[in-house]
Amino acid sequence: MASGQPFSVSLAGGLDKSTNSLALLQTPGVATKLRNFEVSIEGGYRRINGYTLFGAGSSVRPNSSNPVRGLAIYADGVVAVVGNNIYFSIDGTSWLQLNKASVDVSGDNYATFNGRSELTLTTVEQCEFTIYEGLTDYGELVITDKSGANKPFLFYMTGTGGLSTRTFFAKQITFDHTKTAKFCTVHDNHLVVAGNPTEPQTLYYSHTGDIDNFTGTGAGSITLEDKIVGLKSFRKELFIFCRNSLFKLENINNSSTIQVTPITKNVGCIDGQTIQEIAGDLIFLAPDGLRTVAGTARIGDVELGTVSKAIQPLINNLAGNVNDYVISSMVHRDKSQYRLFYTDTTKNKSEQRGIIGTLRPDGFQWSETRGIEVTEIATGFNEAGIEKHFHGDTDGYVYLHDSGNDFDGSNILARYATPDY
């Protein structure tokens, strides 16, 4: 009988879809299949957690079976845009509609606010959120959506305890007469918006420290030479992601030195929903892969790097069919992970896909997800300083993301394969 020979392998490197089988003999710890696994920050691979209904057995959908268009962690709960309406919940068992009309400038108590007539929003699509911390209890939340049909929506509340003891404020922001916006961010005490369908190359910024005033001192607009697809405040600069280029806005608070500097005119961003900040860097999806924006040792200089070569076939498929997907992304800070989901709403939930990149000392290591339908995902810290994760789907449910041991009652089908030995 032939004798056996033990062979020890350290599981490291993550999913590799680009290297040929002979070269993989040199790295036996990588994976040729790593589905519904994640690279652990402690090393090795582990099966991913599942997701559970927000509100557990008493969970209530905010707006029937309308799809979830947006999610944001706010105060001690979550804001959900479902269908054409905006809602807030602390526990997932009841939801307060936020898009109300004619709210008094001094704010409404709960009963008055809840009884207001609905502010009609039109054909709402995937949303973006930004929070201006200011001096309010929980910050001021601004919402825009990719339809380009609605003005930015501003909401905030003050007070503690149950909702019945709080005061609510809500309004649409006018930045240039009847114009609308798709993208928003807060940068250096300004609200910055862009994406009006009639001028997709123009961004507007508010009065300093007054995010719903676009006519006061310090307000203005800038027109670029490329279509804007995303905005991100990073360090002391505002990065402007365009379809075929990337710019940065500097010195927004100094009218004599404010300027827009091109970073590159050869690399653009496919979808602004892929832009995230992780470990002191920005990551986004370009046509040739996931790239990072890093400040170099030279003051004011920027370099771009590709971090997804190991999974290039997956990226090529995503980039080549990007218009078929609803794309959303998040950063899981506890796990040093970047998660990107791309959902084809014409397919079953079991077929929906995503990728997870765990940042290790030698760079990102990747894995795949299968069976998580995500139309919007959110992560952030609530008012108690606890990191929370939520995602929503086409059926209008809101889930606790990365929670539990199954997919809301369905088994997690996970696969792992080593290179051929």
Short mmCIF file of all heavy atoms in Angstrom, two decimals, residues 282-310:
data_model
loop_
_atom_site.label_atom_id
_atom_site.label_comp_id
_atom_site.label_asym_id
_atom_site.label_seq_id
_atom_site.Cartn_x
_atom_site.Cartn_y
_atom_site.Cartn_z
N LEU A 282 -9.24 56.25 -1.23
CA LEU A 282 -10.48 56.13 -1.96
C LEU A 282 -10.38 54.98 -2.94
O LEU A 282 -9.33 54.77 -3.55
CB LEU A 282 -10.79 57.42 -2.74
CG LEU A 282 -11.10 58.68 -1.93
CD1 LEU A 282 -11.39 59.84 -2.87
CD2 LEU A 282 -12.27 58.46 -0.99
N ILE A 283 -11.47 54.25 -3.10
CA ILE A 283 -11.52 53.17 -4.07
C ILE A 283 -12.75 53.38 -4.94
O ILE A 283 -13.78 53.86 -4.48
CB ILE A 283 -11.55 51.79 -3.37
CG1 ILE A 283 -11.44 50.65 -4.38
CG2 ILE A 283 -12.79 51.63 -2.50
CD1 ILE A 283 -11.22 49.28 -3.75
N PHE A 284 -12.62 53.06 -6.24
CA PHE A 284 -13.73 53.24 -7.17
C PHE A 284 -13.55 52.29 -8.35
O PHE A 284 -12.45 51.77 -8.59
CB PHE A 284 -13.82 54.69 -7.67
CG PHE A 284 -12.67 55.10 -8.56
CD1 PHE A 284 -12.79 55.12 -9.94
CD2 PHE A 284 -11.46 55.50 -8.00
CE1 PHE A 284 -11.73 55.51 -10.76
CE2 PHE A 284 -10.39 55.90 -8.80
CZ PHE A 284 -10.53 55.90 -10.19
N LEU A 285 -14.64 52.06 -9.08
CA LEU A 285 -14.60 51.15 -10.22
C LEU A 285 -14.35 51.93 -11.50
O LEU A 285 -15.18 52.76 -11.91
CB LEU A 285 -15.91 50.37 -10.33
CG LEU A 285 -16.00 49.36 -11.49
CD1 LEU A 285 -14.93 48.28 -11.35
CD2 LEU A 285 -17.39 48.73 -11.56
N ALA A 286 -13.23 51.66 -12.12
CA ALA A 286 -12.88 52.21 -13.42
C ALA A 286 -13.11 51.15 -14.49
O ALA A 286 -13.32 49.97 -14.17
CB ALA A 286 -11.41 52.66 -13.42
N PRO A 287 -13.06 51.51 -15.78
CA PRO A 287 -13.29 50.50 -16.82
C PRO A 287 -12.32 49.33 -16.78
O PRO A 287 -12.65 48.22 -17.20
CB PRO A 287 -13.13 51.31 -18.11
CG PRO A 287 -13.49 52.71 -17.73
CD PRO A 287 -12.98 52.87 -16.34
N ASP A 288 -11.10 49.56 -16.25
CA ASP A 288 -10.10 48.50 -16.24
C ASP A 288 -9.94 47.84 -14.88
O ASP A 288 -9.02 47.05 -14.67
CB ASP A 288 -8.75 49.04 -16.71
CG ASP A 288 -8.22 50.16 -15.82
OD1 ASP A 288 -9.01 50.71 -15.02
OD2 ASP A 288 -7.04 50.50 -15.93
N GLY A 289 -10.81 48.15 -13.93
CA GLY A 289 -10.72 47.51 -12.63
C GLY A 289 -10.99 48.45 -11.48
O GLY A 289 -11.28 49.64 -11.68
N LEU A 290 -10.92 47.92 -10.28
CA LEU A 290 -11.05 48.74 -9.08
C LEU A 290 -9.73 49.47 -8.85
O LEU A 290 -8.67 48.86 -8.80
CB LEU A 290 -11.41 47.88 -7.88
CG LEU A 290 -12.86 47.38 -7.88
CD1 LEU A 290 -13.03 46.18 -6.98
CD2 LEU A 290 -13.81 48.50 -7.47
N ARG A 291 -9.82 50.78 -8.71
CA ARG A 291 -8.62 51.60 -8.54
C ARG A 291 -8.70 52.37 -7.23
O ARG A 291 -9.78 52.62 -6.69
CB ARG A 291 -8.47 52.59 -9.70
CG ARG A 291 -8.01 51.96 -11.00
CD ARG A 291 -7.82 53.01 -12.08
NE ARG A 291 -7.16 52.46 -13.26
CZ ARG A 291 -5.86 52.45 -13.47
NH1 ARG A 291 -5.05 52.98 -12.57
NH2 ARG A 291 -5.34 51.95 -14.57
N THR A 292 -7.54 52.76 -6.73
CA THR A 292 -7.45 53.60 -5.54
C THR A 292 -6.85 54.94 -5.91
O THR A 292 -6.07 55.07 -6.85
CB THR A 292 -6.60 52.94 -4.45
OG1 THR A 292 -5.30 52.63 -4.99
CG2 THR A 292 -7.25 51.68 -3.93
N VAL A 293 -7.24 55.95 -5.14
CA VAL A 293 -6.69 57.30 -5.28
C VAL A 293 -5.85 57.55 -4.05
O VAL A 293 -6.36 57.59 -2.93
CB VAL A 293 -7.80 58.36 -5.36
CG1 VAL A 293 -7.21 59.75 -5.46
CG2 VAL A 293 -8.71 58.07 -6.53
N ALA A 294 -4.56 57.69 -4.22
CA ALA A 294 -3.66 57.84 -3.08
C ALA A 294 -2.84 59.12 -3.20
O ALA A 294 -2.34 59.44 -4.28
CB ALA A 294 -2.70 56.65 -2.98
N GLY A 295 -2.72 59.86 -2.11
CA GLY A 295 -1.83 61.00 -2.07
C GLY A 295 -0.39 60.53 -1.91
O GLY A 295 -0.08 59.73 -1.05
N THR A 296 0.48 61.00 -2.78
CA THR A 296 1.88 60.58 -2.73
C THR A 296 2.66 61.46 -1.77
O THR A 296 2.13 62.39 -1.16
CB THR A 296 2.51 60.64 -4.12
OG1 THR A 296 2.61 62.02 -4.52
CG2 THR A 296 1.69 59.90 -5.14
N ALA A 297 3.94 61.16 -1.64
CA ALA A 297 4.81 61.92 -0.74
C ALA A 297 4.95 63.36 -1.22
O ALA A 297 5.22 64.26 -0.43
CB ALA A 297 6.18 61.26 -0.64
N ARG A 298 4.80 63.60 -2.51
CA ARG A 298 4.90 64.96 -3.04
C ARG A 298 3.62 65.70 -2.71
O ARG A 298 2.53 65.23 -3.00
CB ARG A 298 5.14 64.92 -4.56
CG ARG A 298 6.45 64.25 -4.93
CD ARG A 298 6.69 64.29 -6.44
NE ARG A 298 5.68 63.51 -7.17
CZ ARG A 298 5.77 62.21 -7.37
NH1 ARG A 298 6.79 61.51 -6.88
NH2 ARG A 298 4.83 61.57 -8.07
N ILE A 299 3.75 66.89 -2.15
CA ILE A 299 2.60 67.65 -1.68
C ILE A 299 1.66 67.92 -2.86
O ILE A 299 2.05 68.41 -3.91
CB ILE A 299 3.05 68.97 -1.04
CG1 ILE A 299 3.87 68.68 0.22
CG2 ILE A 299 1.84 69.84 -0.71
CD1 ILE A 299 4.42 69.92 0.88
N GLY A 300 0.39 67.58 -2.66
CA GLY A 300 -0.61 67.85 -3.67
C GLY A 300 -0.64 66.86 -4.81
O GLY A 300 -1.50 66.95 -5.69
N ASP A 301 0.28 65.91 -4.84
CA ASP A 301 0.32 64.96 -5.94
C ASP A 301 -0.58 63.78 -5.63
O ASP A 301 -0.87 63.47 -4.48
CB ASP A 301 1.76 64.49 -6.17
CG ASP A 301 1.96 63.88 -7.54
OD1 ASP A 301 0.99 63.90 -8.32
OD2 ASP A 301 3.06 63.41 -7.83
N VAL A 302 -1.04 63.11 -6.67
CA VAL A 302 -1.96 61.99 -6.53
C VAL A 302 -1.53 60.88 -7.47
O VAL A 302 -1.06 61.13 -8.58
CB VAL A 302 -3.41 62.41 -6.87
CG1 VAL A 302 -4.33 61.21 -6.91
CG2 VAL A 302 -3.92 63.41 -5.86
N GLU A 303 -1.67 59.65 -7.00
CA GLU A 303 -1.37 58.51 -7.86
C GLU A 303 -2.57 57.57 -7.87
O GLU A 303 -3.34 57.51 -6.92
CB GLU A 303 -0.12 57.76 -7.39
CG GLU A 303 -0.24 57.17 -6.00
CD GLU A 303 1.03 56.47 -5.55
OE1 GLU A 303 2.01 56.49 -6.30
OE2 GLU A 303 1.02 55.94 -4.43
N LEU A 304 -2.74 56.84 -8.97
CA LEU A 304 -3.83 55.89 -9.11
C LEU A 304 -3.24 54.50 -9.22
O LEU A 304 -2.24 54.29 -9.91
CB LEU A 304 -4.65 56.19 -10.36
CG LEU A 304 -5.31 57.56 -10.44
CD1 LEU A 304 -6.02 57.72 -11.78
CD2 LEU A 304 -6.30 57.75 -9.31
N GLY A 305 -3.87 53.55 -8.55
CA GLY A 305 -3.38 52.17 -8.61
C GLY A 305 -4.52 51.20 -8.78
O GLY A 305 -5.61 51.39 -8.24
N THR A 306 -4.30 50.13 -9.56
CA THR A 306 -5.30 49.08 -9.74
C THR A 306 -5.10 48.00 -8.69
O THR A 306 -3.99 47.55 -8.45
CB THR A 306 -5.18 48.46 -11.14
OG1 THR A 306 -5.27 49.49 -12.11
CG2 THR A 306 -6.29 47.46 -11.37
N VAL A 307 -6.20 47.57 -8.04
CA VAL A 307 -6.08 46.64 -6.92
C VAL A 307 -6.86 45.35 -7.15
O VAL A 307 -6.98 44.53 -6.23
CB VAL A 307 -6.55 47.31 -5.61
CG1 VAL A 307 -5.66 48.48 -5.25
CG2 VAL A 307 -8.02 47.75 -5.71
N SER A 308 -7.39 45.13 -8.35
CA SER A 308 -8.28 43.99 -8.57
C SER A 308 -7.80 43.06 -9.68
O SER A 308 -8.60 42.34 -10.27
CB SER A 308 -9.69 44.49 -8.91
OG SER A 308 -9.67 45.33 -10.05
N LYS A 309 -6.51 43.06 -9.97
CA LYS A 309 -6.00 42.22 -11.06
C LYS A 309 -6.28 40.73 -10.83
O LYS A 309 -6.50 39.98 -11.78
CB LYS A 309 -4.50 42.45 -11.23
CG LYS A 309 -4.15 43.81 -11.81
CD LYS A 309 -4.75 44.02 -13.19
CE LYS A 309 -4.32 45.34 -13.80
NZ LYS A 309 -4.99 45.60 -15.10
N ALA A 310 -6.28 40.30 -9.58
CA ALA A 310 -6.49 38.87 -9.29
C ALA A 310 -7.88 38.39 -9.71
O ALA A 310 -8.08 37.21 -9.99
CB ALA A 310 -6.27 38.58 -7.82
#
